[in-house]
Amino acid sequence: MKEEEWDYPHTMYGCNKLYCEKLGMYYGKFFGQKHLDENPPVMLDFRAIRFPGLISAFTLPSGGTSDYGPEMLHASAQGKPYACFVRADTKISFMAMPDAIKSLLVLMDVPREKLSNTVYNIAAFALTAEEFRQRALKAFPDAKITFDPNPRRQGIVDSWPEDVDDARARKDWNWTPDYDVDKFFDEYFLPEIRKRYGK
């Protein structure tokens, strides 16, 4: 998914995100409209990141549409059954929270002349819901995870891309995530889940 694709949101949340991007672009490029204003204002250096589903090892999932993955593991670690609200073949991009923070800090420091765009996709790894389930079963063999798709939530996820193209970020500001899928589970997420629940 390039920055110009998939930007027809199906939710108010998505509409507001796109609105903020467009507003930032307006203030960065067109505010004052040079030909209308004798003293055009200094333009805003607007920069934005489109994040995949962010997962923190230190906070509980809060019911977001992409939270089914971490919810599986939190439930499994507690010995609770979990009914996933999307289909097993549902696939979207995810990212560890430290990489999200890193991306903001890196993008802030890039000289403006090196940026070819104002809005950037970033990516780390993409997983299906079934792949998340398999990770949960590997870590917690007694996990009881089923699939009970909610048509409305499934519809929202189906309106998202399965993965995103972050080639512009990689080219313009050398974006690379620190956590691939294995490092995310083995070094970041699962150790903290085990610590939280004494597993």
Side-chain angles (χ1 to χ4, degrees), residues 55-58 96-98 179 183-184 186-192:
I55 302 175
S56 171
F58 301 96
M97 190 61 74
Y179 293 89
K183 190 173 178 183
F184 165 77
D186 297 341
E187 298 182 25
Y188 175 67
F189 195 66
L190 283 171
E192 293 303 323

Side-chain angles (χ1 to χ4, degrees), residues 20-70:
C20 289
E21 289 178 10
K22 298 296 186 187
L23 200 60
M25 291 175 193
Y26 165 75
Y27 278 107
K29 292 182 179 179
F30 304 115
F31 180 63
Q33 303 287 334
K34 292 182 182 180
H35 62 282
L36 300 176
D37 190 336
E38 291 181 13
N39 299 300
V42 174
M43 295 300 160
L44 173 71
D45 183 2
F46 174 75
R47 304 166 186 206
I49 290 175
R50 289 182 179 161
F51 291 109
L54 299 181
I55 302 175
S56 171
F58 301 96
T59 59
L60 293 170
S62 56
T65 306
S66 61
D67 280 349
Y68 57 84

Side-chain angles (χ1 to χ4, degrees), residues 64-144:
T65 306
S66 61
D67 280 349
Y68 57 84
E71 284 175 357
M72 280 185 200
L73 285 144
H74 279 276
S76 298
Q78 297 173 80
K80 296 178 180 178
Y82 181 76
C84 183
F85 56 79
V86 297
R87 293 186 316 268
D89 66 341
T90 300
K91 184 177 184 180
I92 59 172
S93 289
F94 293 94
M95 178 176 286
M97 190 61 74
D99 276 333
I101 295 165
K102 170 188 169 182
S103 72
L104 292 169
L105 297 173
V106 171
L107 180 57
M108 265 192 332
D109 286 342
V110 179
R112 183 68 188 91
E113 60 272 13
K114 290 191 174 183
L115 301 180
S116 64
N117 205 22
T118 54
V119 178
Y120 288 89
N121 290 336
I122 59 170
F125 54 89
L127 288 175
T128 65
E130 176 60 26
E131 288 170 324
F132 250 109
R133 179 178 171 272
Q134 291 303 320
R135 293 281 181 161
L137 286 169
K138 182 179 175 184
F140 308 103
D142 296 328
K144 294 176 177 60

